[in-house]
Amino acid sequence: MIAGLGACTGTSGSKTATTTTEKPSAVKDSLQEYVHKRLDIYETVKLTTNLNALTANERKILPLLIQAAQIMDELFWKQAYPQRDSLMAGLKDEKTKEFVRINYGPWDRLNGDKPFIAGIGSKPEGASFYPAGMTKADLDKSGLKDKFNAYSVIQKDSTGKLISVPYHVLFAPELQRASSLLKQAALMTEDAGFKKYLNLRADALMNDNFNASDYAWLDMKTNILDIIIGPIENYEDKMFNARTSYEAYVLVKDKVWSKRLAKYVSMLPELQKGLPVAEKYKKEKPGTDSELNAYDVVYYAGDCNSGSKTIAVNLPNDEVIQQKKGTRRSQLKNAMKAKFDKILVPIAAELIDKDQQQYINFDSFFANVMFHEVAHGLGIKNTVTGKGFVKEALKEQSGWLEEGKADILGLYMVTGLLKKGELTGDIKTYYTTFMAGLLRSVRFGASSAHGKANMQCFNFFKEKGAFVRTTNGTYKVDFAKFQTAMNDLSNVILTLQGNGDRAAVEKVQNTYAVISPELQSDLDRLSKKGIPVDVIFEQGVDVLGVK
């Protein structure tokens, strides 16, 4: 698979877990030219918010939340690359050190996990979640009862037998500190819902039982401050897509924008009924007892700060909670605006047909991203073939396909809401901005679930004639065929998920989730123009001006 951006072709990260990462003793600075060029793909963004919108008490709570988030960052390092300190000690080139920090290890996350330090080798599929040398078959045939527990690692005991070690045992000292910080914040907050959530989340970090805190988080309605914290996403586990990684977002709610978004979640059941797929794949009723809000994000930590930066969040991931209660969709407006201004607009100027550049605007970008998150609530969570939850049936193939579903059903929602008059604007702006968004996200490469999802959409739409590449090397949307392709791809993805056929999904990935030489040459043009691929952050209490 050709992945990412630049002159070097990255690995797909698909080698078996028998490839291990050895602890470097004295790593020579090498590949510096590559690293120095790749640093330029990131645009630095300062994360701030209007502190005048916060009370004096809320401004005192923010540093506690940031300190707790920083502990999640340390825990993610232990999961992604526990040899960080010895690696950094052997490096002299400051830019190489910076690139290691950006990538949480010596592999370029936005170029197919290409190693950028000599002697490192390929990135293990299982990160540090599994013993070196363990294969998928080894775990499959083991007698472990909780072999796919999201909140544990697999290790070997003194006899070589595979055992499961809970996170709250493995990381007890760090989690105790984070829990204490959340408890301190809970004592200070005046918002009852936020206080309940902080206390329950603090307890959950210490026992890995997150359901009660997830329900409390969904019940919060009046809080201005928020923190998403804990082991949440499973993208880092490319072996089974089972183990979760630590991360945190510290958020400040934008009341004005949040009020504008409140009505859309209630429309999910009606939109579910109209999905362009056979009836058996849309029988489930989406949960609607949750909120859609906009935030300024003031701190990213851990998994969400690695590789491509998240600009919207749909949580919790637990399928039972989603069906019973729904999810909260959090739009990270300041980060989203930064990506639109610094990345998407320049991409559109280079690759979107001149006659259609007028259709690129932020409101359409915001809506497309927002409804991507809302669309996670549509479709199907249980297979129709008796294989259990879709995530369990598809394992390592589930993450990227779910992101692809959210992309395409988000566009489906935009189309349907425009027709109903519940959304304003010209469909041409949403479709053209979506096309520019595809060209932005395919640059994330094959090691990213979002990158794979966008490659699939790009190649499927191209096959259906939803856009053409002009003789000038720009892309022009065919608006009628775009909608047809949207419905067709929705049908394909929902059917794949409902059937729970992992081999069929893998075949689709190998066929569609690839970058053609022609597309790669266009992406290289963006690199030559100096258009960034993603953002990194200046963040923290000093940037915010709080202590």
Side-chain angles (χ1 to χ4, degrees), residues 38 68 122-123 143 228 230 276 328 361 364 404 418 461 482 528:
R38 292 293 288 168
S122 300
K123 183 177 182 179
I228 298 169
R328 171 172 280 129
N361 65 47
S364 295
L418 276 170
F461 274 38
F482 212 80
K528 291 173 183 175

Side-chain angles (χ1 to χ4, degrees), residues 86-104:
S86 57
L87 173 67
M88 296 293 262
L91 296 172
K92 293 184 176 64
D93 181 55
E94 290 301 321
K95 290 188 176 181
T96 301
K97 289 182 180 180
E98 177 63 16
F99 207 50
V100 170
R101 285 189 285 266
I102 289 170
N103 286 282
Y104 288 80

Side-chain angles (χ1 to χ4, degrees), residues 408 434 438 453-462 489:
I408 203 65
F434 183 90
L438 282 180
N454 281 273
M455 285 185 240
Q456 179 200 28
C457 187
F458 179 92
N459 288 316
F460 189 93
F461 274 38
K462 181 180 180 181
L489 183 55

Side-chain angles (χ1 to χ4, degrees), residues 442-495:
V442 294
R443 300 172 83 197
F444 297 154
S447 64
S448 158
H450 294 84
K452 290 176 184 175
N454 281 273
M455 285 185 240
Q456 179 200 28
C457 187
F458 179 92
N459 288 316
F460 189 93
F461 274 38
K462 181 180 180 181
E463 186 179 275
K464 296 293 182 179
F467 61 84
V468 295
R469 186 178 183 275
T470 69
T471 55
N472 295 327
T474 58
Y475 293 86
K476 188 171 186 176
V477 173
D478 183 315
F479 298 108
K481 290 182 179 179
F482 212 80
Q483 184 169 338
T484 300
M486 172 192 76
N487 288 329
D488 289 347
L489 183 55
S490 299
N491 185 292
V492 167
I493 292 177
L494 290 171
T495 302

Side-chain angles (χ1 to χ4, degrees), residues 267-269 271-273 275 286 329 374-381 402 405 409-410 412-413 494 497:
M267 299 176 185
L268 282 176
L271 289 162
Q272 174 85 352
K273 293 176 183 177
L275 289 172
R329 288 86 175 183
V374 177
H376 278 297
L378 289 175
I380 192 165
K381 303 297 179 186
E402 174 62 22
K405 181 205 81 173
L409 292 191
Y412 158 82
M413 288 189 70
L494 290 171
Q497 288 186 319

Side-chain angles (χ1 to χ4, degrees), residues 215 218-219 287-290 320-327:
Y215 280 113
L218 291 174
D219 285 336
T288 58
D289 187 18
S290 56
V320 175
I321 298 176
Q322 289 180 2
Q323 290 178 325
K324 287 184 178 179
K325 188 79 171 176
T327 60

